[in-house]
Amino acid sequence: MPSDKNNKIPFNEDNYTHNIERNNERKLDRRGFMKTLVGAAGVFAISSLPWGMVAAKELMGLGEKEYPHKKITDVSKLAIGDAMNFKFPGDHDDAILIRLSEKKYVAYQNACTHLRCPVFWVKEEGEMICPCHHGKFDVETGVPTAGPPRRPLPEIQVKVENGAVYAVRVKRYEV
Amino acid sequence: MKKRLYLELENCIGCRSCLAACTQCGGHEERNRNYVYDVNPLVNRQTMPLMCLHCVNPACARSCPAQAIQIHETGAVLSALVEKCIGCQNCTIACPYGIPKFDTEQNLMYKCDLCIDRTKDRIPPMCASVCPSNTLQWLTDEEIENKRNQFNLDNGKWVTSLPYLESETNVKVNLPGILQGITKLY
């Protein structure tokens, strides 16, 4: 004979471990959570592909790509201590060439590594300065010496042939 | 206007139309989910259909360790969810009416779900729509109340068994000869 409690006090079936109401079904059950987890992992994996491309590019040596040598200027037109802008390797990659001495030329892509403002050469101070946030770069190496930029300017190798200065290639970025 | 399944058992003529309808109903994969019992086998010819009483507090769902049996908002107790049922057959033991069936091939419990795809749109379940003898009816609560008023019930309420195992069910049954002191008034 059942006790008189039977069916008088219904069990509370709406809790996290046991629910039988279809409308109280958890929005995110264990399986849904695992699916979300795997899905998010997939999304992260796919979103990391661009970096994979960059790495592949490095591994395949595309970073060492030689661009067609480009004449910047004649040696006679650039006085010692002066600088001039040019475009290398593409038409939209601004660069700066600085003549430090009779034989020594340095060239950098002059988009500041902080927020890509054009870095220019201040002859009096012997420094490259970014006007936007007063970042300064060492002219010999391109490494930042003051202000917000933290990475060196990409260096462009130049060569002097037949009284003219040519841009040869962009040196790959090294930490 | 919510309607319920109502079983008027003394009308049953044992034609098994409800079984055939359930077997051939779409989505049932040629399996029927209801029963036609002999009430007193070898004594008389009275039969009774039984699908599932769709208890308000269902023992099958409460016994299920995987919560594979869910109660729909209409009150129908659904068949086991294929992705949750683990085939432990607890429900077949727990149900006091022996309703849930077990498919050993699919390792899955299946039972009447009151044709939820039809009843959620207020279409009567297949068995009720084909019953030729008005044993299975699809009635509003008001109509069921009128049916109940045809009886003198000594305890004032219809329960499915005495002493009752599951008190309230969504499917209403009249139980001639089981309830005490009943006389039909027509």
Side-chain angles (χ1 to χ4, degrees), chain A residues 1-2 6-11 13 16-23 25 29 31, chain B residues 57-58 61-64 67 69-73 78 83-84 163-167:
Chain A
M1 192 63 196
N6 272 13
N7 298 305
K8 299 276 195 309
I9 307 161
F11 293 101
E13 300 287 6
Y16 271 100
T17 52
H18 193 277
N19 163 59
I20 54 175
E21 295 285 335
R22 189 161 167 272
N23 284 353
E25 181 76 355
D29 53 3
R31 183 170 303 167
Chain B
N57 190 12
R62 278 190 279 118
S63 73
C64 180
Q67 291 97 58
I69 308 171
Q70 294 189 330
I71 305 169
H72 194 264
E73 60 225 358
L78 301 179
E83 65 268 23
K84 281 191 178 183
Y164 40 81
L165 296 157
E166 299 287 325
S167 66

Side-chain angles (χ1 to χ4, degrees), chain B residues 49-63:
Chain B
L50 189 59
M51 294 69 206
C52 169
L53 292 166
H54 296 282
C55 307
V56 171
N57 190 12
C60 57
R62 278 190 279 118
S63 73

Side-chain angles (χ1 to χ4, degrees), chain B residues 29-139:
Chain B
E29 294 166 346
E30 299 297 314
R31 297 177 306 191
N32 53 49
R33 297 155 176 236
N34 49 6
Y35 304 83
V36 175
Y37 288 120
D38 286 339
V39 177
N40 287 308
L42 308 176
V43 177
N44 56 27
R45 299 299 313 263
Q46 182 63 53
T47 50
M48 58 174 276
L50 189 59
M51 294 69 206
C52 169
L53 292 166
H54 296 282
C55 307
V56 171
N57 190 12
C60 57
R62 278 190 279 118
S63 73
C64 180
Q67 291 97 58
I69 308 171
Q70 294 189 330
I71 305 169
H72 194 264
E73 60 225 358
T74 58
V77 181
L78 301 179
S79 186
L81 296 170
V82 176
E83 65 268 23
K84 281 191 178 183
C85 177
I86 58 173
C88 69
Q89 304 184 45
N90 272 3
C91 47
T92 59
I93 301 162
C95 176
Y97 313 109
I99 297 293
K101 300 182 183 184
F102 190 72
D103 185 340
T104 45
E105 290 211 353
Q106 289 192 49
N107 199 34
L108 175 73
M109 183 280 278
Y110 67 102
K111 68 182 264 301
C112 163
D113 58 359
L114 205 61
C115 285
I116 194 64
D117 51 341
R118 306 173 107 241
T119 52
K120 74 173 195 297
D121 299 324
R122 302 198 192 121
I123 307 168
M126 196 48 117
C127 51
S129 22
V130 302
C131 180
S133 62
N134 249 3
T135 306
L136 304 168
Q137 301 173 36
W138 186 242
L139 304 178

